[in-house]
Amino acid sequence: MITALYHPDNEVREAALANLVDSGEIAVPRLVQVLGSGNEEAVDLARIALVKNGEEAIPHLVDSLSDPMGANHTLIQEILRENEVAAIPYLIPFMEPEKEGHDEAMALIREAGADATIPLVHAVPDSGPELQKEIKNYLTWLFNQDPRKFIAKLFSGQIPDAGLMFEIVHSSPGTVIPELIEIFRKMTDQTLVAGDLLSRFKNRCPPSVHRCIENGRMKTEN
């Protein structure tokens, strides 16, 4: 089916495209190879097929960034942008500066903006020391771009470790504390985590809030 993408007859090429899309992930590695073939019509069809394959194609596309002699990296990035947020967990290992494909991966991560926050935070515990350092540095940079938006993202899904959160946001208590107080007072599932973070700011936090936190802890223990 792959060779049919190079066929001079357009109908043959279109039929091959449909079959390749139907084949799903099994055809993806070969389609990625076609992207580096230099045949414009075949490349365009492979691009369409990979976009239609959606998230199934992401691991193979990201892997190809590590091959400097492989497929067109600019085209790979273009395809990955169709599922940019889903691609973030696969791009994170490329954040180490010496990795081949680092520049392309970082460009996509930056384009994702605050949407990259949660995948990045969740990647920290399972990463090695060097990668952890890169992730934390980037998260700190991301936080400084828009602290309020960053905090909202942190509390938008599965809440990460409070210690890691504090490590990232502790440098801006004047911005962070009011946001956390608002979350704390809503009395939701996020209240305990917000209270934990607030308690780490110690004397920078209003006494009334500290009393509420302590009362909440006593109720939880009882």
Side-chain angles (χ1 to χ4, degrees):
M1 285 189 291
I2 290 290
T3 55
L5 294 177
Y6 301 93
H7 199 281
D9 189 318
N10 185 57
E11 289 187 8
V12 173
R13 294 197 302 271
E14 292 291 341
L17 172 63
N19 287 331
L20 287 164
V21 172
D22 290 341
S23 298
E25 188 177 1
I26 194 169
V28 170
R30 295 290 303 279
L31 287 166
V32 173
Q33 289 178 356
V34 173
L35 295 178
S37 69
N39 183 307
E40 289 187 14
E41 291 179 339
V43 167
D44 190 50
L45 291 170
R47 180 188 62 77
I48 292 169
L50 287 165
V51 169
K52 288 185 176 180
N53 272 297
E55 293 186 20
E56 286 185 340
I58 290 174
H60 302 280
L61 289 164
V62 172
D63 281 347
S64 70
L65 293 175
S66 63
D67 182 2
M69 304 302 291
N72 184 323
H73 285 192
T74 301
L75 188 53
I76 294 291
Q77 287 176 283
E78 179 186 319
I79 299 168
L80 286 170
R81 286 187 182 98
E82 298 290 331
N83 290 286
E84 199 163 59
V85 176
I88 298 297
Y90 300 94
L91 294 167
I92 289 171
F94 291 84
M95 292 180 73
E96 293 188 47
E98 71 278 5
K99 289 269 190 180
E100 190 68 46
H102 168 80
D103 292 343
E104 294 91 336
M106 288 306 303
L108 290 166
I109 290 171
R110 289 190 190 99
E111 287 172 20
D115 287 336
T117 302
I118 295 299
L120 286 165
V121 168
H122 288 162
V124 172
D126 297 324
S127 299
E130 287 302 316
L131 184 54
Q132 277 194 9
K133 178 183 174 183
E134 295 299 328
I135 296 171
K136 289 178 181 179
N137 286 343
Y138 184 77
L139 284 168
T140 301
W141 176 84
L142 198 58
F143 165 70
N144 289 329
Q145 301 308 299
D146 191 336
R148 289 182 176 85
K149 189 173 184 179
F150 184 88
I151 293 167
K153 283 290 180 184
L154 281 179
F155 282 89
S156 66
Q158 183 182 346
I159 301 172
D161 174 70
L164 173 60
M165 293 169 70
F166 183 73
E167 184 179 344
I168 296 165
V169 306
H170 75 278
S171 61
S172 300
T175 302
V176 173
I177 289 173
E179 297 294 318
L180 292 175
I181 289 173
E182 185 175 341
I183 294 168
F184 180 75
R185 285 175 172 163
K186 287 178 180 177
M187 300 303 292
T188 65
D189 293 342
Q190 302 167 340
T191 297
L192 285 176
V193 180
D196 188 345
L197 278 170
L198 285 165
S199 68
R200 294 169 189 251
F201 283 100
K202 302 186 186 308
N203 60 345
R204 294 175 183 246
C205 199
S208 59
V209 174
H210 270 302
R211 286 194 294 273
C212 288
I213 293 169
E214 290 304 319
N215 288 338
R217 283 176 176 165
M218 286 188 284
K219 287 177 184 177
T220 303
E221 289 169 2
N222 293 333

